[in-house]
Amino acid sequence: MNTHFSLPRDGKRLIYDLTPFGLSEVPYLAAQNLPHIFPGLPTHYHKGCMEINHFLKGERVYRVGGNDFHLRGNQIFVTWPDEVHGSGSFLHDKGTHFWLQLRLPHSGEPFLGLTADCAAPLLDGIWTMPRRQFRADTAMQSLYYRMLQICRNGPSALSRAELTVLLTEWLLRMVRASSQPWEGEITPDINRALELARQNPGAARSVGELADAACLSESHFKLKFKQQLGVPPGDYLLRRRIETGAEYLLRGGMNITDIAYTLEFSSSQHFSTTFKKFFGRSPQAWLRERQGESGQRCFATSKGKGPTPWIEDGVFHGYLCDDER
């Protein structure tokens, strides 16, 4: 990884338009390091653009075509031009996320400064990738950080050439990675542990209980769990308890103390402190936001007929679907 480039710690997105670099096929190249849990994505689509997401760490769920895709550390997830997607009711976990959009021509057209003949194999490879979710090539992270650094420094004759080469290599590695054997399923032993955790997500279970359910030693279980889920089992269990507390808050009828003891926290203060670590705000402040008193998102209003643009932090991200207007 390029240690000379760091992402903002406050969750602010870095978004770069590559048009000044002569790469008009890339509306934006972006990165974000979420310090805590955020609301998920609204249902939307990108007109004429493919979106490629690279999740370095953390946990995400994307919903496409009625199917939920559970994403974890060092995985790629792709949506195609005009394909409707979002997060459903799932939250976005803290962690690091790269993503970019591409306007893809079909074969027979130039792409990223390559002639039509040179671009054809790359375009064919992208259009025919066998799966939308797969493990990233180990070099892709470093390449992306280098691209971000070039974008931060701004365009020049040399940087345009370097960024074009890096992006082309990144896409080639993505195409190759999509064809590599990959076990996306959770193994039966880890799945037994997850089933136990799902039985009562608000319970203060120990990692040892889950290891016993998996019939593994605790040390082996921790290693295997993190490999498959992308997070340590202790963090997974704590997040599920906090998410259950958030559900109780939304339902109403329980105060913070009641929720804390129902979820087996030692005190309301302990629950509130832990909640803030995950959501970045106190339970009361989070609830006010969810109830619309100080919401963070701003969706543009569509006048008359036509799609509703999704604009957040002054940046256009796509078009909202009818159920999100």
Side-chain angles (χ1 to χ4, degrees), residues 10-322:
D10 59 0
K12 182 179 179 181
R13 297 181 182 94
L14 294 181
I15 299 179
Y16 298 104
D17 180 358
L18 300 198
T19 302
F21 293 88
L23 298 170
S24 58
E25 301 96 330
V26 188
Y28 63 72
L29 179 145
Q32 185 179 32
N33 184 40
L34 288 180
H36 48 76
I37 294 172
F38 273 69
L41 292 175
T43 305
H44 67 287
Y45 64 94
H46 306 290
K47 189 173 180 60
C49 287
M50 172 190 192
E51 186 172 71
I52 306 168
N53 296 275
H54 182 183
F55 300 95
L56 275 69
K57 57 183 178 180
E59 189 177 354
R60 297 280 177 92
V61 177
Y62 271 58
R63 177 166 293 171
V64 182
N67 298 312
D68 291 332
F69 296 84
H70 294 258
L71 309 167
R72 301 174 186 93
N74 200 34
Q75 290 186 8
I76 299 288
F77 184 76
V78 170
T79 56
W80 299 102
D82 302 296
E83 187 171 45
V84 174
H85 60 285
S87 300
S89 60
F90 294 96
L91 301 169
H92 274 188
D93 194 9
K94 58 184 178 180
T96 306
H97 173 206
F98 297 155
W99 72 103
L100 60 87
Q101 289 186 7
L102 287 178
R103 294 191 184 97
L104 288 176
H106 290 276
S107 285
E109 300 178 25
F111 180 59
L112 300 181
L114 300 172
T115 64
D117 288 344
C118 290
L122 174 57
L123 287 170
D124 288 344
I126 293 174
W127 280 115
T128 60
M129 287 193 297
R131 57 176 70 93
R132 70 165 75 243
Q133 179 182 2
F134 49 90
R135 190 171 301 281
D137 180 306
T138 54
M140 291 178 70
Q141 178 179 345
S142 177
L143 288 170
Y144 204 96
Y145 271 114
R146 288 169 64 188
M147 289 192 288
L148 289 171
Q149 184 66 64
I150 292 171
C151 291
R152 175 177 285 177
N153 293 338
S156 67
L158 188 59
S159 66
R160 290 188 184 98
E162 185 178 5
L163 187 58
T164 302
V165 170
L166 290 172
L167 180 58
T168 303
E169 182 180 353
W170 193 88
L171 292 172
L172 284 168
R173 288 181 176 275
M174 177 192 71
V175 169
R176 295 192 186 105
S178 73
S179 299
Q180 296 301 310
W182 176 61
E183 290 296 330
E185 298 296 325
I186 303 297
T187 55
D189 49 3
I190 299 300
N191 200 46
R192 288 195 299 271
L194 291 175
E195 288 176 356
L196 177 62
R198 294 187 192 109
Q199 289 175 12
N200 185 357
R205 296 191 185 279
S206 68
V207 173
E209 288 180 81
L210 268 62
D212 290 342
C215 299
L216 297 171
S217 69
E218 190 166 328
S219 58
H220 187 195
F221 171 74
K222 287 180 179 178
L223 178 63
K224 195 169 185 178
F225 189 99
K226 187 173 182 179
Q227 287 174 341
Q228 296 186 26
L229 274 296
V231 293
D235 289 355
Y236 177 91
L237 288 169
L238 187 56
R239 172 176 170 168
R240 266 54 198 177
R241 288 169 69 200
I242 290 298
E243 287 180 341
T244 302
E247 291 176 6
Y248 289 152
L249 284 169
L250 289 174
R251 291 176 194 168
M254 296 177 68
N255 60 36
I256 299 297
T257 300
D258 292 338
I259 293 174
Y261 286 113
T262 299
L263 298 178
E264 303 179 46
F265 283 88
S266 59
S267 65
S268 59
Q269 182 61 43
H270 183 201
F271 168 74
S272 296
T273 301
T274 307
F275 190 100
K276 189 171 183 178
K277 287 180 181 178
F278 277 84
F279 284 96
R281 50 193 56 76
S282 69
Q284 296 89 341
W286 179 85
L287 182 60
R288 286 196 299 270
E289 288 186 3
R290 293 304 299 267
Q291 291 174 336
E293 294 180 13
S294 56
Q296 295 181 328
R297 280 200 170 126
C298 176
F299 300 137
T301 301
S302 181
K303 297 182 179 179
K305 295 182 179 180
T308 301
W310 169 21
I311 298 174
E312 190 172 349
D313 298 329
V315 177
F316 171 72
H317 293 279
Y319 292 98
L320 294 171
C321 295
D322 289 340

